[in-house]
Amino acid sequence: MKSKLNQYKSRILLAIFCIAVLVVLFFNVKLLYIFQEGNPIPLGLAIFRLEYGHLEVVTFAKNKLVQKEGKETLLTSYLKKFGWEFSDRLGSVILYKKGNETLIVKARYFTRRYIVYELNKNLDELD
């Protein structure tokens, strides 16, 4: 009799714990923002390098860059090293030219403090 009572107690405690976790996640959705770029570890390391490495733009994937909030002049100077010149800005899309080639960069805020840029080419193809 006591073992059945213990089983019911443990099931009730497990249900309460699951409901509590769901409530916390529901009301604190900002916690889930760290997963919007997939694996949060490379982006977290890139942000750490931005903050403590005195860098302006940091790569964290084959075709993604991150910078602190601000205008895209930091990105433009970064891409200028590879020979890309600023062409136009269309909302959140920034266009760069190099000869007859066009580089398309999509910009979006990761948080209020950081901007993530997604390039249509891998970074090793920029040269």
Short mmCIF file of all heavy atoms in Angstrom, two decimals, residues 38-86:
data_model
loop_
_atom_site.label_atom_id
_atom_site.label_comp_id
_atom_site.label_asym_id
_atom_site.label_seq_id
_atom_site.Cartn_x
_atom_site.Cartn_y
_atom_site.Cartn_z
N GLY A 38 20.90 28.58 -34.04
CA GLY A 38 21.33 27.19 -33.97
C GLY A 38 22.11 26.96 -32.70
O GLY A 38 21.68 27.33 -31.61
N ASN A 39 23.27 26.38 -32.82
CA ASN A 39 24.13 26.10 -31.68
C ASN A 39 24.61 27.42 -31.08
O ASN A 39 25.28 28.20 -31.76
CB ASN A 39 25.32 25.25 -32.12
CG ASN A 39 26.20 24.84 -30.98
OD1 ASN A 39 25.96 25.17 -29.83
ND2 ASN A 39 27.24 24.09 -31.30
N PRO A 40 24.30 27.71 -29.81
CA PRO A 40 24.66 29.01 -29.24
C PRO A 40 26.12 29.16 -28.85
O PRO A 40 26.59 30.27 -28.61
CB PRO A 40 23.76 29.11 -28.00
CG PRO A 40 23.53 27.69 -27.60
CD PRO A 40 23.50 26.90 -28.89
N ILE A 41 26.88 28.08 -28.82
CA ILE A 41 28.26 28.16 -28.35
C ILE A 41 29.15 28.99 -29.28
O ILE A 41 29.86 29.89 -28.82
CB ILE A 41 28.84 26.75 -28.11
CG1 ILE A 41 28.08 26.11 -26.94
CG2 ILE A 41 30.33 26.80 -27.82
CD1 ILE A 41 28.40 24.66 -26.71
N PRO A 42 29.15 28.78 -30.62
CA PRO A 42 30.00 29.62 -31.48
C PRO A 42 29.64 31.10 -31.41
O PRO A 42 30.53 31.96 -31.38
CB PRO A 42 29.77 29.06 -32.88
CG PRO A 42 29.28 27.69 -32.68
CD PRO A 42 28.53 27.70 -31.39
N LEU A 43 28.35 31.40 -31.36
CA LEU A 43 27.94 32.80 -31.26
C LEU A 43 28.34 33.38 -29.91
O LEU A 43 28.79 34.53 -29.83
CB LEU A 43 26.44 32.94 -31.49
CG LEU A 43 25.88 34.35 -31.45
CD1 LEU A 43 26.59 35.24 -32.47
CD2 LEU A 43 24.40 34.35 -31.69
N GLY A 44 28.20 32.62 -28.87
CA GLY A 44 28.62 33.09 -27.54
C GLY A 44 30.10 33.37 -27.49
O GLY A 44 30.54 34.38 -26.93
N LEU A 45 30.90 32.50 -28.10
CA LEU A 45 32.35 32.74 -28.15
C LEU A 45 32.68 33.97 -28.99
O LEU A 45 33.58 34.74 -28.65
CB LEU A 45 33.06 31.51 -28.71
CG LEU A 45 33.05 30.27 -27.82
CD1 LEU A 45 33.64 29.07 -28.55
CD2 LEU A 45 33.79 30.53 -26.53
N ALA A 46 31.93 34.17 -30.09
CA ALA A 46 32.15 35.35 -30.93
C ALA A 46 31.82 36.63 -30.16
O ALA A 46 32.55 37.63 -30.25
CB ALA A 46 31.31 35.26 -32.21
N ILE A 47 30.74 36.62 -29.40
CA ILE A 47 30.37 37.79 -28.60
C ILE A 47 31.42 38.03 -27.52
O ILE A 47 31.78 39.17 -27.24
CB ILE A 47 28.96 37.62 -28.02
CG1 ILE A 47 27.93 37.73 -29.16
CG2 ILE A 47 28.68 38.64 -26.93
CD1 ILE A 47 26.52 37.43 -28.76
N PHE A 48 31.94 36.96 -26.93
CA PHE A 48 33.01 37.10 -25.95
C PHE A 48 34.24 37.76 -26.59
O PHE A 48 34.85 38.65 -26.01
CB PHE A 48 33.37 35.72 -25.38
CG PHE A 48 34.45 35.77 -24.34
CD1 PHE A 48 34.15 36.09 -23.03
CD2 PHE A 48 35.77 35.49 -24.68
CE1 PHE A 48 35.14 36.14 -22.07
CE2 PHE A 48 36.77 35.53 -23.72
CZ PHE A 48 36.46 35.85 -22.41
N ARG A 49 34.58 37.34 -27.82
CA ARG A 49 35.72 37.93 -28.53
C ARG A 49 35.44 39.40 -28.87
O ARG A 49 36.36 40.22 -28.87
CB ARG A 49 36.02 37.14 -29.79
CG ARG A 49 36.66 35.80 -29.47
CD ARG A 49 36.89 34.92 -30.66
NE ARG A 49 37.59 35.60 -31.73
CZ ARG A 49 37.51 35.23 -33.00
NH1 ARG A 49 36.76 34.20 -33.34
NH2 ARG A 49 38.18 35.88 -33.92
N LEU A 50 34.19 39.73 -29.17
CA LEU A 50 33.84 41.13 -29.43
C LEU A 50 34.04 41.98 -28.19
O LEU A 50 34.60 43.08 -28.26
CB LEU A 50 32.37 41.26 -29.84
CG LEU A 50 32.00 41.15 -31.29
CD1 LEU A 50 30.50 41.21 -31.46
CD2 LEU A 50 32.66 42.21 -32.12
N GLU A 51 33.60 41.47 -27.07
CA GLU A 51 33.64 42.25 -25.83
C GLU A 51 35.05 42.36 -25.25
O GLU A 51 35.43 43.41 -24.76
CB GLU A 51 32.70 41.63 -24.78
CG GLU A 51 31.24 41.74 -25.12
CD GLU A 51 30.74 43.16 -25.12
OE1 GLU A 51 31.29 44.01 -24.40
OE2 GLU A 51 29.77 43.43 -25.85
N TYR A 52 35.80 41.28 -25.29
CA TYR A 52 37.08 41.26 -24.60
C TYR A 52 38.29 41.20 -25.53
O TYR A 52 39.41 41.31 -25.08
CB TYR A 52 37.13 40.09 -23.61
CG TYR A 52 36.05 40.21 -22.58
CD1 TYR A 52 34.93 39.40 -22.62
CD2 TYR A 52 36.14 41.16 -21.57
CE1 TYR A 52 33.92 39.52 -21.68
CE2 TYR A 52 35.14 41.29 -20.63
CZ TYR A 52 34.04 40.47 -20.69
OH TYR A 52 33.05 40.59 -19.77
N GLY A 53 38.06 41.04 -26.83
CA GLY A 53 39.17 40.97 -27.77
C GLY A 53 39.38 42.26 -28.53
O GLY A 53 40.25 42.33 -29.39
N HIS A 54 38.59 43.27 -28.24
CA HIS A 54 38.68 44.58 -28.90
C HIS A 54 38.59 44.44 -30.41
O HIS A 54 39.32 45.10 -31.15
CB HIS A 54 39.97 45.31 -28.49
CG HIS A 54 40.11 45.43 -27.00
ND1 HIS A 54 39.26 46.19 -26.24
CD2 HIS A 54 40.99 44.87 -26.14
CE1 HIS A 54 39.61 46.11 -24.96
NE2 HIS A 54 40.66 45.31 -24.88
N LEU A 55 37.71 43.57 -30.87
CA LEU A 55 37.46 43.38 -32.30
C LEU A 55 36.16 44.08 -32.66
O LEU A 55 35.29 44.29 -31.81
CB LEU A 55 37.38 41.90 -32.63
CG LEU A 55 38.63 41.08 -32.33
CD1 LEU A 55 38.34 39.61 -32.48
CD2 LEU A 55 39.76 41.50 -33.24
N GLU A 56 36.00 44.42 -33.92
CA GLU A 56 34.78 45.12 -34.35
C GLU A 56 33.78 44.18 -35.00
O GLU A 56 32.58 44.33 -34.84
CB GLU A 56 35.16 46.25 -35.30
CG GLU A 56 35.99 47.31 -34.62
CD GLU A 56 36.47 48.37 -35.59
OE1 GLU A 56 36.57 48.09 -36.80
OE2 GLU A 56 36.76 49.47 -35.11
N VAL A 57 34.28 43.22 -35.79
CA VAL A 57 33.44 42.23 -36.46
C VAL A 57 34.10 40.87 -36.27
O VAL A 57 35.30 40.73 -36.45
CB VAL A 57 33.31 42.55 -37.97
CG1 VAL A 57 32.48 41.49 -38.66
CG2 VAL A 57 32.68 43.92 -38.19
N VAL A 58 33.29 39.87 -35.88
CA VAL A 58 33.82 38.54 -35.62
C VAL A 58 32.99 37.52 -36.40
O VAL A 58 31.77 37.61 -36.43
CB VAL A 58 33.77 38.22 -34.11
CG1 VAL A 58 34.23 36.80 -33.83
CG2 VAL A 58 34.59 39.21 -33.32
N THR A 59 33.67 36.55 -37.00
CA THR A 59 32.97 35.46 -37.69
C THR A 59 32.64 34.37 -36.68
O THR A 59 33.40 34.13 -35.74
CB THR A 59 33.83 34.86 -38.81
OG1 THR A 59 34.98 34.28 -38.23
CG2 THR A 59 34.23 35.91 -39.81
N PHE A 60 31.50 33.71 -36.90
CA PHE A 60 31.16 32.58 -36.02
C PHE A 60 30.59 31.41 -36.78
O PHE A 60 30.26 30.38 -36.20
CB PHE A 60 30.21 33.02 -34.89
CG PHE A 60 28.82 33.37 -35.33
CD1 PHE A 60 27.82 32.43 -35.30
CD2 PHE A 60 28.53 34.65 -35.74
CE1 PHE A 60 26.54 32.75 -35.69
CE2 PHE A 60 27.25 34.99 -36.12
CZ PHE A 60 26.25 34.03 -36.10
N ALA A 61 30.49 31.51 -38.08
CA ALA A 61 30.06 30.40 -38.94
C ALA A 61 30.66 30.63 -40.31
O ALA A 61 31.33 31.64 -40.55
CB ALA A 61 28.54 30.33 -39.01
N LYS A 62 30.42 29.72 -41.23
CA LYS A 62 31.00 29.82 -42.57
C LYS A 62 30.58 31.10 -43.29
O LYS A 62 31.32 31.64 -44.09
CB LYS A 62 30.60 28.62 -43.42
CG LYS A 62 31.20 27.33 -42.98
CD LYS A 62 30.74 26.21 -43.87
CE LYS A 62 31.30 24.89 -43.37
NZ LYS A 62 30.81 23.78 -44.18
N ASN A 63 29.37 31.55 -43.01
CA ASN A 63 28.86 32.73 -43.72
C ASN A 63 28.18 33.73 -42.79
O ASN A 63 27.34 34.50 -43.22
CB ASN A 63 27.88 32.30 -44.81
CG ASN A 63 26.63 31.67 -44.25
OD1 ASN A 63 26.63 31.14 -43.15
ND2 ASN A 63 25.56 31.73 -45.00
N LYS A 64 28.53 33.72 -41.50
CA LYS A 64 27.89 34.62 -40.55
C LYS A 64 28.92 35.41 -39.77
O LYS A 64 29.96 34.89 -39.37
CB LYS A 64 26.99 33.85 -39.59
CG LYS A 64 25.79 33.24 -40.27
CD LYS A 64 24.90 32.54 -39.29
CE LYS A 64 23.71 31.92 -40.00
NZ LYS A 64 22.84 31.23 -39.08
N LEU A 65 28.58 36.68 -39.54
CA LEU A 65 29.42 37.60 -38.77
C LEU A 65 28.56 38.25 -37.70
O LEU A 65 27.34 38.33 -37.84
CB LEU A 65 29.98 38.70 -39.68
CG LEU A 65 30.74 38.26 -40.92
CD1 LEU A 65 30.82 39.40 -41.92
CD2 LEU A 65 32.13 37.85 -40.53
N VAL A 66 29.19 38.74 -36.65
CA VAL A 66 28.48 39.46 -35.61
C VAL A 66 29.27 40.72 -35.27
O VAL A 66 30.50 40.72 -35.35
CB VAL A 66 28.24 38.57 -34.36
CG1 VAL A 66 29.53 38.19 -33.70
CG2 VAL A 66 27.31 39.24 -33.36
N GLN A 67 28.54 41.78 -34.97
CA GLN A 67 29.17 43.02 -34.52
C GLN A 67 28.28 43.65 -33.46
O GLN A 67 27.11 43.29 -33.32
CB GLN A 67 29.38 44.00 -35.68
CG GLN A 67 28.15 44.81 -36.04
CD GLN A 67 28.45 45.95 -37.00
OE1 GLN A 67 29.32 45.85 -37.84
NE2 GLN A 67 27.71 47.01 -36.87
N LYS A 68 28.86 44.61 -32.73
CA LYS A 68 28.05 45.36 -31.77
C LYS A 68 27.10 46.26 -32.55
O LYS A 68 27.30 46.54 -33.72
CB LYS A 68 28.93 46.19 -30.86
CG LYS A 68 29.70 45.37 -29.86
CD LYS A 68 30.46 46.27 -28.93
CE LYS A 68 31.27 45.45 -27.97
NZ LYS A 68 32.06 46.29 -27.06
N GLU A 69 26.07 46.73 -31.86
CA GLU A 69 25.08 47.58 -32.51
C GLU A 69 25.73 48.78 -33.16
O GLU A 69 26.79 49.24 -32.74
CB GLU A 69 24.03 48.04 -31.51
CG GLU A 69 24.58 48.97 -30.45
CD GLU A 69 23.53 49.45 -29.49
OE1 GLU A 69 22.35 49.46 -29.85
OE2 GLU A 69 23.90 49.83 -28.38
N GLY A 70 25.12 49.29 -34.19
CA GLY A 70 25.64 50.44 -34.90
C GLY A 70 25.42 50.29 -36.40
O GLY A 70 24.76 49.36 -36.86
N LYS A 71 25.98 51.23 -37.14
CA LYS A 71 25.81 51.18 -38.59
C LYS A 71 26.72 50.13 -39.19
O LYS A 71 27.61 49.62 -38.54
CB LYS A 71 26.11 52.56 -39.17
CG LYS A 71 25.12 53.59 -38.71
CD LYS A 71 25.21 54.82 -39.54
CE LYS A 71 24.14 55.78 -39.03
NZ LYS A 71 23.66 56.64 -40.05
N GLU A 72 26.46 49.85 -40.45
CA GLU A 72 27.22 48.81 -41.13
C GLU A 72 28.60 49.27 -41.60
O GLU A 72 29.27 48.58 -42.35
CB GLU A 72 26.43 48.24 -42.31
CG GLU A 72 26.28 49.17 -43.48
CD GLU A 72 25.04 50.04 -43.38
OE1 GLU A 72 24.25 49.89 -42.45
OE2 GLU A 72 24.87 50.88 -44.27
N THR A 73 29.06 50.44 -41.15
CA THR A 73 30.38 50.91 -41.55
C THR A 73 31.48 49.97 -41.08
O THR A 73 32.50 49.82 -41.76
CB THR A 73 30.64 52.34 -41.02
OG1 THR A 73 30.45 52.34 -39.60
CG2 THR A 73 29.71 53.33 -41.67
N LEU A 74 31.29 49.32 -39.93
CA LEU A 74 32.28 48.34 -39.47
C LEU A 74 32.32 47.14 -40.40
O LEU A 74 33.40 46.63 -40.73
CB LEU A 74 31.96 47.90 -38.04
CG LEU A 74 31.99 48.97 -36.97
CD1 LEU A 74 31.51 48.42 -35.63
CD2 LEU A 74 33.38 49.55 -36.84
N LEU A 75 31.15 46.70 -40.84
CA LEU A 75 31.09 45.59 -41.79
C LEU A 75 31.71 46.01 -43.12
O LEU A 75 32.45 45.24 -43.74
CB LEU A 75 29.65 45.14 -41.99
CG LEU A 75 29.43 44.06 -43.05
CD1 LEU A 75 30.04 42.75 -42.61
CD2 LEU A 75 27.96 43.91 -43.36
N THR A 76 31.42 47.22 -43.56
CA THR A 76 31.95 47.71 -44.83
C THR A 76 33.48 47.76 -44.79
O THR A 76 34.13 47.33 -45.75
CB THR A 76 31.37 49.10 -45.15
OG1 THR A 76 29.94 49.00 -45.21
CG2 THR A 76 31.89 49.63 -46.47
N SER A 77 34.05 48.23 -43.71
CA SER A 77 35.51 48.28 -43.61
C SER A 77 36.09 46.86 -43.51
O SER A 77 37.17 46.61 -44.03
CB SER A 77 35.96 49.14 -42.44
OG SER A 77 35.54 48.58 -41.22
N TYR A 78 35.37 45.94 -42.89
CA TYR A 78 35.82 44.55 -42.81
C TYR A 78 35.84 43.92 -44.21
O TYR A 78 36.81 43.26 -44.59
CB TYR A 78 34.91 43.75 -41.88
CG TYR A 78 35.25 42.29 -41.79
CD1 TYR A 78 36.28 41.84 -40.98
CD2 TYR A 78 34.53 41.35 -42.51
CE1 TYR A 78 36.60 40.50 -40.89
CE2 TYR A 78 34.83 40.00 -42.44
CZ TYR A 78 35.87 39.58 -41.63
OH TYR A 78 36.17 38.25 -41.56
N LEU A 79 34.76 44.13 -44.98
CA LEU A 79 34.66 43.54 -46.31
C LEU A 79 35.58 44.24 -47.32
O LEU A 79 35.96 43.64 -48.33
CB LEU A 79 33.22 43.56 -46.81
CG LEU A 79 32.26 42.64 -46.06
CD1 LEU A 79 30.84 42.82 -46.54
CD2 LEU A 79 32.69 41.19 -46.19
N LYS A 80 35.95 45.48 -47.02
CA LYS A 80 36.86 46.21 -47.91
C LYS A 80 38.23 45.52 -47.96
O LYS A 80 38.92 45.58 -48.96
CB LYS A 80 37.00 47.65 -47.43
CG LYS A 80 37.59 48.57 -48.44
CD LYS A 80 37.48 49.99 -47.95
CE LYS A 80 37.36 50.85 -49.19
NZ LYS A 80 36.79 52.13 -48.94
N LYS A 81 38.60 44.85 -46.87
CA LYS A 81 39.86 44.10 -46.85
C LYS A 81 39.88 43.01 -47.92
O LYS A 81 40.94 42.61 -48.38
CB LYS A 81 40.08 43.47 -45.48
CG LYS A 81 40.22 44.44 -44.35
CD LYS A 81 40.30 43.71 -43.03
CE LYS A 81 40.18 44.66 -41.87
NZ LYS A 81 40.11 43.95 -40.58
N PHE A 82 38.70 42.51 -48.29
CA PHE A 82 38.59 41.47 -49.30
C PHE A 82 38.28 42.04 -50.68
O PHE A 82 38.05 41.30 -51.62
CB PHE A 82 37.48 40.48 -48.91
CG PHE A 82 37.73 39.79 -47.61
CD1 PHE A 82 37.04 40.17 -46.47
CD2 PHE A 82 38.65 38.76 -47.51
CE1 PHE A 82 37.27 39.53 -45.27
CE2 PHE A 82 38.87 38.11 -46.31
CZ PHE A 82 38.18 38.50 -45.18
N GLY A 83 38.23 43.37 -50.79
CA GLY A 83 38.00 44.00 -52.08
C GLY A 83 36.55 44.33 -52.40
O GLY A 83 36.23 44.73 -53.52
N TRP A 84 35.64 44.17 -51.44
CA TRP A 84 34.22 44.44 -51.67
C TRP A 84 33.91 45.89 -51.34
O TRP A 84 34.32 46.40 -50.32
CB TRP A 84 33.36 43.52 -50.82
CG TRP A 84 33.46 42.09 -51.23
CD1 TRP A 84 34.29 41.15 -50.70
CD2 TRP A 84 32.74 41.44 -52.27
NE1 TRP A 84 34.13 39.95 -51.33
CE2 TRP A 84 33.18 40.10 -52.30
CE3 TRP A 84 31.77 41.85 -53.16
CZ2 TRP A 84 32.67 39.18 -53.21
CZ3 TRP A 84 31.26 40.93 -54.07
CH2 TRP A 84 31.71 39.62 -54.09
N GLU A 85 33.16 46.55 -52.21
CA GLU A 85 32.77 47.95 -52.02
C GLU A 85 31.27 48.03 -51.76
O GLU A 85 30.48 47.33 -52.40
CB GLU A 85 33.10 48.78 -53.27
CG GLU A 85 34.58 48.89 -53.57
CD GLU A 85 35.33 49.74 -52.57
OE1 GLU A 85 34.73 50.68 -52.02
OE2 GLU A 85 36.51 49.44 -52.32
N PHE A 86 30.89 48.92 -50.86
CA PHE A 86 29.47 49.13 -50.55
C PHE A 86 28.74 49.59 -51.80
O PHE A 86 29.21 50.47 -52.52
CB PHE A 86 29.32 50.17 -49.44
CG PHE A 86 27.89 50.50 -49.12
CD1 PHE A 86 27.14 49.68 -48.32
CD2 PHE A 86 27.31 51.65 -49.65
CE1 PHE A 86 25.82 50.00 -48.01
CE2 PHE A 86 26.00 51.97 -49.35
CZ PHE A 86 25.24 51.14 -48.54
#
